[in-house]
Amino acid sequence: MLTALQEEYEAVRLHMEGVREVELPQGTLADVGRIPGLGWEVALVETGPTNTRAALITQPTVEFFDAEAVFFVGVAGALKDDLRLGDVVVARKVYGYHGGRESAEGFQARPDVWEPTYSMSQLVLSARRNEPWAFLSPQSPPATPPGIRFEPIASGDVLVGFRDSETVRRIRSHYNDAAAIDMESHGVTEAVKMHRTVQALSIRGISDFTDPGKASLDAAGSKETASRHAAAFALRVLRDLRPARAAATERPRPPAVIVVSGPGTDAGPTTWESRRTLEVEGRTYLLYTGPGDLLQESRDGDVLRRQAVACAVSERGSRDAYVWLRQVERGQSPPGPGRFDPLAALEEEASLCRACHGPGVVQLTRHGNTATLALAWPADPRLGGPVKTLHELLPEQPEPMDQLRLWSTVQGLAEVAGVLERLSDRGRSHRALRPTALVMSRPRTVLRDFGLAAVPPRPGENAGPYQAPEQRYGSGFRPGPATDVYQVGALLHRALTGRAHDPGLPLRVDPAVAPDSLVHLVAGALRQEPAARPGMRALRLALRAAARDLSSAPPPPR
């Protein structure tokens, strides 16, 4: 990520976490960190103005970091009258407008033009259609959504402040499709040309109209606003950028998997978190980051488990579907007779998914000491990505859900209860329900997997706020279908109150938030003794009735 000015730099820097400063051999200082929700590591560098400085800094920076992509982010002046302050122009071309020949016949242009690759252009168009402002801070939303234009940019070393200047007339004459003008994009893109495999893009927010009013607009904060919009759209494009060289350059790493038993301790970045792609029997998966346990690695003795939401990429390089990717790797010694085999458990879970109409099995493989299971994860065509989980619907503590989201949650849990009922008919139970385990798809909510259904119960499993009493150490009850009932109740408690369930505190809910029938249902599901809780069928029917009671409010789009 390259910027020319301080305001542009700060607009990108606000999105970064875990930042460390790196000094390049030439003395250039870069901030290196990660963007929450993205798998990329980002190096952020301020070049200063003019194409020459931008090129001199871009070339060694790309080489030092062995960059996959270069995004030049910042502000520009408008050349078209229909552009507004804060609109974003993404460069479909970059014209170096100083190239030409002066003669007695006048100026004759010798265009020097750069264009982004076709694949990068497609990412821009997709981002413009689907959730373009996903990274725009909710603390400073624009009064009206900024426009996004994919049009040429003219770039030269002249600071233009007059629409009728000779420079602007020359641009209109020879590059009349240019929508905006800046002083650095040509230098950045020329430097990127030296690296054949590096993708590039110039994203510019409109901060002025190339007229004498520029100074007053700058004083009013137009640069900061335009920089924020450019940074937000750049990160939205980056979210979908697929690493082109990862499969060829990464060293072989251990395969990976899910941990449904709990988040565990945070030991910093893991092997799984540092990966971008994973190859499994001819299929390539692009890994996503996510909240909670949606990207996780855990070790239990000699068993390594990992999990992540991923995008299946076809041989053509297109993104075919999203999956919930789980892998288990055990030690070299196979389990003895009658001992639990984690690889066989993953295979058994796939069988349960098929038998109980759970998540669709996309891929199941087993080689040596490694088993891989990929389960279908619904796509959201509106957002252009995987569907969100219940985690994203739940409010920040301690606020209860609004009525529309509560309806969606109750309706979704009723749908999930039907699958859990079929699972219980086979003598199995999920035992690891939590907000990230429920995918709020349309037309129905689905489970991301079957949790611990294929794993023998053991004390202390599913640690965290949704752990049932019988899962704790020292309990005299065995986990089973009643455990799932308790965990559904715990999820509803969080939706109704904004807080995790505390057995020592009574459940108090404002009657305006939820009907009494739903409050009584939650209280019954959270009883300490499993036998005192309703059965899964009774829970499902009660949830459907509660959803009808809440349906006086129109259902929200999901």
Side-chain angles (χ1 to χ4, degrees), residues 50-52 54-56 58 72 91 93-99 110-114 153-157 182-193 202 204:
T50 78
N51 283 298
T52 302
L56 288 172
T58 299
F72 185 52
K93 299 177 183 177
V94 173
Y95 293 126
Y97 64 76
H98 279 124
R110 293 181 175 177
D112 192 354
V113 183
W114 171 90
I153 288 176
S155 183
D157 288 343
D182 74 6
M183 299 174 61
E184 301 86 18
S185 288
H186 178 59
V188 171
T189 53
E190 283 296 299
V192 171
K193 284 182 182 179
S202 179
R204 320 303 290 166

Side-chain angles (χ1 to χ4, degrees), residues 367-446:
H367 290 291
N369 297 324
T370 300
T372 304
L373 175 61
L375 300 174
W377 188 291
D380 188 332
R382 182 177 61 87
L383 299 181
V387 166
K388 303 296 186 182
T389 67
L390 178 60
H391 177 90
E392 282 78 21
L393 278 184
L394 291 173
E396 294 294 327
Q397 295 184 7
E399 293 295 322
M401 269 188 174
D402 61 70
Q403 196 169 29
L404 294 179
R405 289 191 176 193
L406 181 60
W407 177 89
S408 182
T409 301
V410 173
Q411 179 69 17
L413 286 170
E415 293 160 353
V416 165
V419 180
L420 296 174
E421 186 179 353
R422 289 192 289 272
L423 192 61
S424 66
D425 290 342
R426 291 179 171 267
R428 303 302 182 92
S429 52
H430 190 288
R431 309 197 319 273
L433 296 171
R434 60 186 55 176
T436 52
L438 277 71
V439 186
M440 306 302 286
S441 184
R442 190 174 185 178
R444 57 191 310 111
T445 297
V446 297

